[in-house]
Amino acid sequence: MMDAIDRRIQAGTAPRQAVIGGAKSRFRPITLTSVTTFLAFTPLILEPAIQAQFLIPFAASLGVGIMIATGLLMLLLPALMAVFLQVNSSRTS
């Protein structure tokens, strides 16, 4: 997402529009990657075998952590990038 935003800024797009466009363009790939990774842990989480019982908390924490990190990434990264660009542009002006 950072690369998409940087490329848009280098192409001459206004910083606000670059952040919005970069976040929109990378939303689906990031979300799909995170959801498929979470779904890959689902069989292990639901496994009833006694041998898998010690791995279930590990798989659950990784799966939930991936989803939480993705949510934070999609919300915080564009916001922080917008603040950074605003502060950076006010310094150079």
Side-chain angles (χ1 to χ4, degrees):
M1 185 185 305
M2 294 286 293
D3 188 49
I5 294 170
D6 285 340
R7 287 181 191 213
R8 288 172 189 265
I9 290 172
Q10 289 174 355
T13 308
R16 179 179 166 90
Q17 294 303 322
V19 170
I20 292 170
K24 281 183 179 180
S25 70
R26 299 303 303 160
F27 179 78
R28 188 183 345 174
I30 292 171
T31 304
L32 287 176
T33 302
S34 298
V35 169
T36 55
T37 305
F38 175 76
L39 291 176
F41 285 111
T42 304
L44 182 58
I45 293 169
L46 300 176
E47 178 63 42
I50 194 73
Q51 294 90 350
Q53 293 302 309
F54 73 96
L55 290 175
I56 291 174
F58 170 74
S61 63
L62 272 177
V64 171
I66 287 170
M67 296 309 290
I68 290 172
T70 301
L72 288 174
L73 170 80
M74 297 309 291
L75 294 174
L76 287 179
L77 186 67
L80 291 174
M81 188 67 175
V83 169
F84 171 76
L85 291 171
Q86 185 176 12
V87 168
N88 198 23
S89 69
S90 67
R91 275 191 193 164
T92 58
S93 300

